[in-house]
Amino acid sequence: MKTRHSILLTAAAVSCSLITLNIAGAEAVPEYDLVIANGRVIDPESALDATRHVGIVGGKVVVVSEEPLDGAEEVDATGLVVAPGFIDLHSHALNIPSAWMQAFDGVTTTLELERGAWPLEQAYDNVAENGLPLNYGFAVSWIDVRIEILGEKFDQRVTSDVSEQVIERIEDGLKQGGIGIGLLPGYVPNTNRVEYYEAAKLAARYNVPTFTHVRGKFHDEPGHAIEGYGEVLAAAAATGTQMHICHLSSSATRFIPEVSRMILKAQEQGLRVTTETYPYGAGSTVISAPFLRARELQRVGLEHDSIVYLKTGERPESDERLTEIQETDPMGLSIIHYLDEGIEEDATLIDKAVIFPDGIIASDAMPFTVDGEEVLDPVWPLPEEAISHPRSVGTFARVLGRYVRERQLMSLSEAIRRSSLLPARLLEDSVPDMKNKGRIREGADADIVVFDPETIIDRATFEDPRQHSAGVRHLIVGGGFVVRDGELDQTARPGRPVRATAH
């Protein structure tokens, strides 16, 4: 006969057995949404370069582990590099087709900071309406504010009261979260120098950077390249502003050594000045740019056949034809061959710009066009007749493939640092989101590129710029795949807006 005590013990044992059976029969819940396993993780902030497993939850990196992890999804990155996604400070192509091209180049955040945008809210809304595969953001556009206020006279000097209106409107944009001020005096060289200085002062007050296309790029005076760079450095010295100079190679051209020394000396003296470049000898812009006028070509070191009018593919053969194109299609895009990569002296100049100490890699991406119209429809692959500068497609892979692997002019970790951490640090004082980008560590945004260091390379050419870069196996934005196993997810729109915080 069982006692009450023995009955209770038997019941407890049965209960424990049932619990054990229930636990054994239940499926274990994975700890992570996504695990990137066995990859060579390179974090430019901590200098980590080792095989690790990366655990991601809710769009964030939550662990970088030496031990294997259990994820609801897993990708095997054996033999591949796992790096923070690249942050492109300089893109004029914030649309879906161009973003797809940049995804295969390792870009997870694409920003329009040189020209910027205005009205600012409208620019963000326009992108948000259709979504974007990559994170995106804008500076406040000085030149577009001028156009709004002055109309056709936007490229002239104005009275001080009008300049005050310009600065006030830019300030409104900064209050809305504009990522600094985009300044293009190179396109309107006759505008007020005092106004440029006041824009720098405003940026200092709000603790945001400026992004400048320098006023002069001529080989003689007035408007010499050294003069153009000098204006930026003077404003930086006088205001303490963080001033970023766009595309060192195509602004300084044959004076890259001289202006590089100017920037380095300014930095040594404590000025907050940075620069960027893309690894090509040719630039691209609207054909009506003042430095492309027939009367100015020799001052920039150009001939007629240095310019390619993209709408027709022609190289204007005379002053008359160039002027005709500029008058009939002033916003038509062109490619300008400033430096010839096939000439040793020119190639050396391009190299000096790319390896400039702490220089940032940025694409200056241009939109693809067909017959002069921007390609906006989300069609993949892009139309056969679509044209752009190859920098829009291959900038980052070109640095990794040619400057790192083939020519060993830069280490792999250094190229990654220049493409991710340095642009994040440039912005992070005023853009809180950037403190968690450009790194792979606990708490960082899961904006990650996984690529093959042995095969990554640019494939886009001037003849066929539609060839996306090779070697990117996976591209992850906010924890979601845009590229997986080398294939584009055409439905993915994980990109989120990036804004500054007004101080």
Side-chain angles (χ1 to χ4, degrees), residues 34 46 133 492:
L34 172 64
S46 65

Side-chain angles (χ1 to χ4, degrees), residues 28 57 321 343 358:
V57 175
R321 176 55 182 153
I343 298 175
D358 285 338

